[in-house]
C-alpha cells in the first residue's frame, strides 16, 4: 500500500507513520514542520519505505502514485492554532482542497482528521455524530472549529461531486508520546509542570471536563477506519468516553509523578467548552473499535516519555 500522511511529523501523524511502516506500507510524510518536530520521525527517517516531503499544504502540490491519504496536517493545540488564525483556516480549507485534488488525481482513498471541536461547546451529552453542534462562528476558536467544519463539508462534496472515497474521523482529546513539551494542551502542560515541580496551571475553576484517549487506541481506530468498506464513511467519533474534570486530571498527574506541585488557577480562555464526551457506539458497531487504555495507564506511559525528554 502506498500511503501519504499529511502532518506526519506531528504528534498523531508521527505515531500513525510508525504504525503504517510497521504494517508494511510505503509512507510519504508531508509536513511544513510548523508544529511538527523532526525528533518525532527520527527513528523512521532512514527506513527504506519512509520518505519526507517538506511542504506547506496551503500551496498546491502534486503527489506520486498513492492508494491512501491520511490528512492530519493542521495545528491542534488552541495556543498553536490561534497564533495565526488566518493560516489555520487556510490550512483547513485551501489545504484540504489541495489534498482532496491530489486524492482525486490518483483515485486514492482519503481520511480526514476532524475533531470533536465541530460540536463546539456542546449542549448534548455525550455527543453522537448526529449532533450538529453549538459553535461560535466569530470567536478565537472559530478558525479551527469552523475550518474543520468546512473541511468536513469539502470531503463530503468531493465524494458526492467527484466520487472520491472519503472517511471523516471526529477525534476527541488524544494524548501520549510524541507531544511537544511546549504543545500547550492540558496533558502535556500538567506533566511537564509536575516533572519540573512547577505549579499545575488549571484554567477557570477546573470543573470543565474532557475525555482523554491514549494515542495507540486512536491510531488503531484510524487504520481500521481507513481499511473498512468504502461504505463506512462516517463521520465517526473516536475517543475514550471516560470523562474527567481538569482538577481530577491535575490530581492524577500529581499522584502518578509524585510531584508536590501546587495548583495555580488561571483565567478560563474564551469559548472553552464546558463538557465533552464522545458517544462511540457507531465506531464500535462499524469497526469493532473501542479504546482499551485507561487514563492512569496512558498517563504513566506519557510521563515516562516526557521524563526521558527532560
Ligand atoms: P500537531 O500540531 O502535533 O500536528 C500537526 C502537524 O501538521 C504538524 O506536524 C505540523 O507541522 C503540520 N502542519 C500544520 N500546518 C501545516 C501545513 N499548512 N502544511 C503542512 N503541514 C502542516 O497536532 P496533532 O495533535 O498531531 O493533530 C493532528 C491532526 O489531528 C490535526 O488535524 C488535528 O486537528 C487533529 N486532531 C487532533 C486531536 C488531538 O487530540 N490530538 C483531536 C482532534 C483532532
Ligand atoms: N487547560 C488547563 N490548563 C492548561 C491547559 C489547558 O486547565 O495548562 C484546560 C483548557 O482550558 C480546557 C482543557 O484543559 O478546558 C483542555 O484543553 P486543551 O487545550 O488540552 O484542549 P481543548 O480545549 O482543545 O479540548
Amino acid at each position: 500500500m502506498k500511503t501519504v500522511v499529511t502532518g506526519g511529523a506531528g504528534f498523531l501523524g508521527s505515531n500513525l507513520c510508525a504504525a503504517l511502516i510497521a504494517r508494511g506500507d510505503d509512507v510519504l510524510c508531508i509536513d511544513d514542520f510548523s508544529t511538527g518536530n523532526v525528533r518525532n520521525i527520527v527513528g523512521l527517517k532512514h527506513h527504506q519505505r519512509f520518505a519526507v516531503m517538506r511542504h506547506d499544504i496551503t500551496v498546491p502540490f502534486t503527489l506520486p502514485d498513492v492508494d491512501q491519504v491520511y490528512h492530519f496536517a493542521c495545528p491542534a493545540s488552541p495556543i498553536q492554532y490561534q497564533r495565526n488564525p488566518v493560516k489555520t483556516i487556510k490550512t483547513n480549507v485551501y489545504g484540504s482542497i489541495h489534498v482532496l485534488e491530489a486524492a482525486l488525481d490518483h483515485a486514492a482513498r482519503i481520511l480526514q482528521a476532524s475533531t470533536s471541536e465541530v460540536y463546539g461547546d456542546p449542549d448534548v451529552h455525550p455527543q453522537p455524530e448526529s449532533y450538529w453542534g453549538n459553535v461560535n462562528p466569530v470567536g478565537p476558536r472559530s478558525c479551527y472549529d469552523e475550518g474543520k467544519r468546512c473541511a468536513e463539508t469539502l470531503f463530503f462534496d468531493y465524494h458526492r461531486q467527484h466520487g472520491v472515497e472519503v472517511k471523516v474521523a471526529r477525534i476527541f482529546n488524544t494524548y501520549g508520546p510524541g507531544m511537544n513539551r511546549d504543545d500547550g494542551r492540558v496533558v502535556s502542560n500538567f506533566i511537564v509542570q509536575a516533572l519540573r515541580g512547577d505549579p499545575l496551571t488549571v484554567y477557570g475553576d477546573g470543573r470543565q471536563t474532557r475525555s482523554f484517549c491514549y494515542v495507540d487506541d486512536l491510531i488503531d481506530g484510524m487504520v481500521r477506519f481507513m481499511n473498512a468498506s468504502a461504505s463506512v464513511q462516517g463521520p465517526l467519533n473516536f475517543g475514550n468516553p471516560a470523562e474527567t474534570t481538569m482538577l481530577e486530571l491535575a490530581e492524577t498527574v500529581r499522584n502518578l509523578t509524585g510531584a508536590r506541585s501546587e495548583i495555580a488557577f488561571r483565567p478560563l480562555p474564551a469559548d472553552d467548552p464546558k463538557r465533552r464526551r464522545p458517544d462511540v457506539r457507531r465506531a464500535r458497531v462499524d469497526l469493532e473499535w473501542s479504546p482499551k487504555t485507561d487514563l492512569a495507564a496512558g498517563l504513566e506511559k506519557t510521563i515516562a516519555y516526557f521524563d526521558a525528554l527532560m
Side-chain angles (χ1 to χ4, degrees), residues 177-197:
M179 299 185 93
N180 278 334
R181 262 178 303 218
D182 55 359
D183 177 275
R185 281 174 278 186
V186 68
V187 173
S188 47
N189 274 8
F190 283 179
I191 292 176
V192 170
Q193 288 161 349
L195 291 175
R196 289 184 175 145

Side-chain angles (χ1 to χ4, degrees), residues 231-247:
S231 62
V232 182
Q233 294 183 313
L236 283 187
N237 287 339
F238 289 88
N240 191 321
E243 194 176 359
T244 180
T245 69
M246 295 313 101
L247 274 178

Side-chain angles (χ1 to χ4, degrees), residues 195-253:
L195 291 175
R196 289 184 175 145
D198 291 342
L200 307 195
T201 53
V202 171
Y203 301 164
D205 62 12
R207 286 190 295 179
Q208 69 273 34
T209 71
R210 295 293 187 271
S211 304
F212 294 102
C213 183
Y214 186 64
V215 61
D216 290 357
D217 288 334
L218 192 275
I219 299 302
D220 172 48
M222 295 303 97
V223 176
R224 279 177 196 242
F225 191 15
M226 178 64 105
N227 293 289
S229 148
S231 62
V232 182
Q233 294 183 313
L236 283 187
N237 287 339
F238 289 88
N240 191 321
E243 194 176 359
T244 180
T245 69
M246 295 313 101
L247 274 178
E248 287 163 350
L249 177 68
E251 203 47 54
T252 307
V253 168

Side-chain angles (χ1 to χ4, degrees), residues 44-63:
L44 299 173
K45 240 170 96 186
H46 300 294
H47 199 288
Q48 55 181 12
R49 283 185 282 105
F50 185 72
V52 181
M53 175 171 142
R54 182 183 281 265
H55 184 75
D56 174 351
I57 59 158
T58 64
V59 178
F61 61 97
T62 53
L63 281 182

Side-chain angles (χ1 to χ4, degrees), residues 138-173:
V138 296
R141 297 177 84 97
S142 313
C143 59
Y144 184 75
D145 299 9
E146 297 288 20
K148 287 284 183 178
R149 286 170 70 97
C150 184
E152 287 200 5
T153 308
L154 283 164
F155 269 67
F156 279 93
D157 281 337
Y158 266 79
H159 172 68
R160 283 184 289 255
Q161 200 172 330
H162 299 300
V164 176
E165 274 188 23
V166 299
K167 311 243 167 202
V168 172
R170 290 183 178 157
I171 302 168
F172 285 64
N173 298 64

Side-chain angles (χ1 to χ4, degrees), residues 116 119 126-129 170-172 211 213 217-218 222 235-242 277-292:
S116 52
Y119 302 123
Q127 292 84 57
E129 291 88 347
R170 290 183 178 157
I171 302 168
F172 285 64
S211 304
C213 183
D217 288 334
L218 192 275
M222 295 303 97
L236 283 187
N237 287 339
F238 289 88
N240 191 321
R277 180 173 176 230
D279 178 337
V280 291
R281 280 177 295 182
R282 268 197 201 167
R284 198 172 291 142
V285 171
D286 288 352
L287 308 176
E288 294 178 7
W289 176 85
S290 56
K292 305 274 181 285

Side-chain angles (χ1 to χ4, degrees), residues 3 9 14 41 50 70 105 119 129 174 228 233 250 256 273 302 309:
T3 307
S14 59
I41 49 171
F50 185 72
Y70 292 84
D105 280 351
Y119 302 123
E129 291 88 347
T174 301
Q233 294 183 313
L256 292 174
T302 313
L309 272 191

